Amino acid sequence: MCSGGFAKCLGITLLPLSIICVLCNILLFFPGGNSVDSANITEEVWYFGGILGSGVLMIFPALVFLGLKNNDCCGCCGNESCGRRFAMLSSILFAAVGVMGSGYSVVISAVSINHGPKCILADETWGTPFSNGDYLSDKNSWSKCSGPDGVVSWHLVLFSLLLVMGLIQMALCAVQVVNGLLGALCGDCSCCGGVSINRSL
């Protein structure tokens, strides 16, 4: 597959991942599926790892990757392949933005999973009863949270999804860095090569 077509496939994959991450972050504002006071929402949710990191900052690279396939590659200073090569080179910068955005989401998700959710304790106050991820290997400790119902699993599942999605996004953007370098150095096989052949005939 040519570099432009491969980049388009990456863009198609990144878009739904971004949407899923945004939805996960929004759902985290409703612990256990319940509406609570903003002061009782887990702190890391307010860092918007899924909305900003794996969401907004990932939309731009995805759209750029989608457009690479149809980018005009001919007529740049008389060099037929110059336009396409420059487009592939510029895509590396957007891929780097994607890596930083998804990396931010991954870090926030990992920290939040380690800290655990903010929940109602036995004395009816809100707090974070877990530390250093101790609840991950001891499901019985989840009873420290008396409410909202299912808040621990809600927190763990959604942040785990953000973590996994972020890692996938990082990997895809890293692949585009390599693909962009190859496209910039070698050119794309789908456009100017065909034009050159036709002109030689």
Side-chain angles (χ1 to χ4, degrees), residues 17-30:
L17 290 178
S18 300
I19 295 172
I20 292 173
C21 288
V22 170
L23 291 176
C24 285
N25 202 148
I26 292 174
L27 288 174
L28 283 165
F29 283 100
F30 304 93

Side-chain angles (χ1 to χ4, degrees), residues 20-68:
I20 292 173
C21 288
V22 170
L23 291 176
C24 285
N25 202 148
I26 292 174
L27 288 174
L28 283 165
F29 283 100
F30 304 93
N34 300 285
S35 179
V36 300
D37 189 87
S38 59
N40 298 326
I41 295 174
T42 303
E43 181 182 357
E44 289 80 12
V45 177
W46 292 102
Y47 296 158
F48 300 108
I51 294 176
L52 291 179
S54 288
V56 174
L57 288 179
M58 195 57 61
I59 293 293
F60 296 111
L63 294 177
V64 169
F65 300 165
L66 284 172
L68 287 176

Side-chain angles (χ1 to χ4, degrees), residues 54-116:
S54 288
V56 174
L57 288 179
M58 195 57 61
I59 293 293
F60 296 111
L63 294 177
V64 169
F65 300 165
L66 284 172
L68 287 176
K69 177 66 176 175
N70 299 321
N71 198 302
D72 182 21
C73 65
C74 303
C76 174
C77 300
N79 189 331
E80 294 178 346
S81 63
C82 173
R84 178 60 61 86
R85 289 172 188 262
F86 179 78
M88 293 303 297
L89 187 62
S90 65
S91 73
I92 297 175
L93 298 177
F94 286 93
V97 171
V99 169
M100 289 188 292
S102 56
Y104 173 74
S105 179
V106 166
V107 170
I108 296 300
S109 300
V111 170
S112 188
I113 290 173
N114 186 59
H115 285 173

Side-chain angles (χ1 to χ4, degrees), residues 7 23 29 38 61-62 75 85 94 103 112 119 141 147 153 166 168 178 184 190 194 200:
L23 291 176
F29 283 100
S38 59
R85 289 172 188 262
F94 286 93
S112 188
C119 60
S141 66
S153 57
I168 293 174
V178 177
S190 64
S200 65

Side-chain angles (χ1 to χ4, degrees), residues 2 69 188:
C2 300
K69 177 66 176 175
D188 190 89

Side-chain angles (χ1 to χ4, degrees), residues 55-195:
V56 174
L57 288 179
M58 195 57 61
I59 293 293
F60 296 111
L63 294 177
V64 169
F65 300 165
L66 284 172
L68 287 176
K69 177 66 176 175
N70 299 321
N71 198 302
D72 182 21
C73 65
C74 303
C76 174
C77 300
N79 189 331
E80 294 178 346
S81 63
C82 173
R84 178 60 61 86
R85 289 172 188 262
F86 179 78
M88 293 303 297
L89 187 62
S90 65
S91 73
I92 297 175
L93 298 177
F94 286 93
V97 171
V99 169
M100 289 188 292
S102 56
Y104 173 74
S105 179
V106 166
V107 170
I108 296 300
S109 300
V111 170
S112 188
I113 290 173
N114 186 59
H115 285 173
K118 195 171 188 179
C119 60
I120 301 175
L121 307 178
D123 59 0
E124 298 300 319
T125 62
W126 285 82
T128 306
F130 310 114
S131 62
N132 298 322
D134 54 355
Y135 72 103
L136 297 174
S137 57
D138 182 14
K139 194 170 183 178
N140 292 327
S141 66
W142 293 13
S143 59
K144 293 179 181 179
C145 286
S146 60
D149 291 338
V151 64
V152 179
S153 57
W154 184 272
H155 174 94
L156 186 57
V157 168
L158 291 176
F159 270 115
S160 294
L161 281 173
L162 284 175
L163 180 65
V164 172
M165 297 295 177
L167 290 172
I168 293 174
Q169 289 174 329
M170 286 182 69
L172 293 177
C173 286
V175 168
Q176 177 54 27
V177 170
V178 177
N179 182 51
L181 283 172
L182 292 176
L185 294 174
C186 306
D188 190 89
C189 62
S190 64
C191 182
C192 290
V195 173

